[in-house]
Amino acid sequence: MATNKVHILLSDAHGGSDKGAQRGSLVEIAESNKIIDELQPLLKAAGYTFYRLPRGYSLSKTIEYMKVNFLRMRYTVGIEIHKDGGPASANGVSVYYYTGDSTARQAGIISAELAKYTGLVDRKEHPDTKTHVGRLGFLRAPGDQLLIEAGFIGNPKDGAISHKQYAQGIFNGIAKAYPLTKETIMPGIPVTREEFANALFAKKLTVIFKGPQLKPNGHITRGEADVLIRRAYDYSGRPSPHVFNDGRFEDTLTRHELPYVLERLI
């Protein structure tokens, strides 16, 4: 089961040469990615659709992607996960927001649920203008944008919480702030290879099937679709876009996912 109404963009903290806060052997960007690794299967099992930006995307690349694609791809919310780099004496979780009262409410729900599940202090929701830097770059695109501070990287109590626990707390918040209903969930109807080829042909891309992929009525996996897209772009002489970055290559591509795939094809 998957939703065609709640579509989530996931991003780690920092990227490029900026690895974020560091305390001993702990590095913020690595800690954030471990939480996202645990969060993805929870979202998938519940029926959310999501796209994870490539690991280590720089802030400038993240903002560029969001400005171009956030509304076009119909994302419901963009979520970036951080570990706060404050002093070791500071602890707790918080969520920053940008887009107004409705997003403030969602931020408050996620912060409260994350604190409740982990047992950490709820430092509440805050507008990004309340940070010491004056604004947070991630929160500058249209639509719901939330930046989650999942504990302080240097605090022993916060550090004792596992990545899986942080992920579960964040998921609980997402499920309450952006709930799925029977109206927003629909069965994932598989896409056939013929349907996929016709869809790409409409984008002026030639699909080249080989071997077992020749069965036109057979269902196509996301991994096969990724290979065919790259092959089609190589044939056209254009650089291939990143379409599947969430690791779900063995899953069957479904009809409600297909429009999202096609919109990423330039």
Side-chain angles (χ1 to χ4, degrees):
M1 304 290 282
T3 178
N4 65 339
K5 295 256 182 107
V6 180
H7 191 37
I8 300 171
L9 175 69
L10 296 173
S11 173
D12 58 37
H14 308 284
S17 60
D18 179 15
K19 305 303 180 185
Q22 298 187 39
R23 298 291 184 274
S25 62
L26 299 178
V27 181
E28 183 177 1
I29 191 171
E31 294 298 299
S32 299
N33 271 302
K34 289 175 183 177
I35 294 174
I36 297 176
D37 288 343
E38 297 287 354
L39 178 60
Q40 286 186 180
L42 298 175
L43 293 171
K44 177 184 173 182
Y48 288 92
T49 58
F50 56 89
Y51 173 67
R52 179 179 185 170
L53 286 176
R55 293 170 186 255
Y57 243 38
S58 66
L59 178 60
S60 61
K61 280 187 176 181
T62 299
I63 294 175
E64 181 182 359
Y65 175 88
M66 293 173 72
K67 284 181 178 178
V68 172
N69 295 293
F70 197 86
L71 293 181
R72 187 169 69 89
M73 296 299 296
R74 300 191 295 276
Y75 287 112
T76 307
V77 59
I79 295 176
E80 183 166 278
I81 297 176
H82 282 241
K83 298 289 288 185
D84 205 311
S89 59
N91 70 318
V93 299
S94 58
V95 180
Y96 289 91
Y97 63 90
Y98 167 60
T99 52
D101 291 340
S102 63
T103 312
R105 184 180 72 82
Q106 319 291 7
I109 290 172
I110 293 175
S111 185
E113 290 297 314
L114 177 54
K116 178 181 177 182
Y117 189 82
T118 59
L120 298 178
V121 173
D122 182 6
R123 298 173 70 93
K124 308 293 184 182
E125 72 279 9
H126 306 281
D128 74 317
T129 51
K130 294 295 183 182
T131 63
H132 69 281
V133 295
R135 55 174 279 181
L136 296 172
F138 178 75
L139 308 177
R140 296 290 127 182
D144 284 13
Q145 309 290 328
L146 300 175
L147 189 151
I148 299 173
E149 293 283 8
F152 283 74
I153 195 169
N155 183 275
K157 183 176 180 180
D158 291 15
I161 305 299
S162 70
H163 303 108
K164 188 174 236 180
Q165 288 174 295
Y166 278 116
Q168 185 66 60
I170 292 170
F171 170 78
N172 292 351
I174 291 173
K176 192 169 182 179
Y178 298 94
L180 296 175
T181 65
K182 291 181 180 179
E183 288 71 34
T184 63
I185 299 179
M186 67 181 207
I189 302 172
V191 173
T192 67
R193 291 186 174 89
E194 183 177 17
E195 288 172 331
F196 185 73
N198 289 337
L200 261 64
F201 183 75
K203 288 278 189 179
K204 298 185 175 13
L205 292 169
T206 301
V207 175
I208 303 172
F209 290 105
K210 295 181 179 179
Q213 296 175 339
L214 291 173
K215 297 179 180 179
N217 293 323
H219 298 156
I220 186 168
T221 67
R222 296 165 104 252
E224 287 177 311
D226 184 65
V227 170
L228 291 171
I229 288 170
R230 293 177 186 278
R231 192 180 293 160
Y233 271 89
D234 287 343
Y235 183 78
S236 70
R238 291 182 280 164
S240 176
H242 293 285
V243 177
F244 302 105
N245 291 289
D246 56 12
R248 295 166 46 214
F249 294 112
E250 295 182 0
D251 291 0
T252 300
L253 182 66
T254 60
R255 287 183 182 173
H256 82 272
E257 289 180 300
L258 188 57
Y260 297 127
V261 172
L262 296 177
E263 287 183 359
R264 291 175 187 160
L265 304 183
I266 301 171

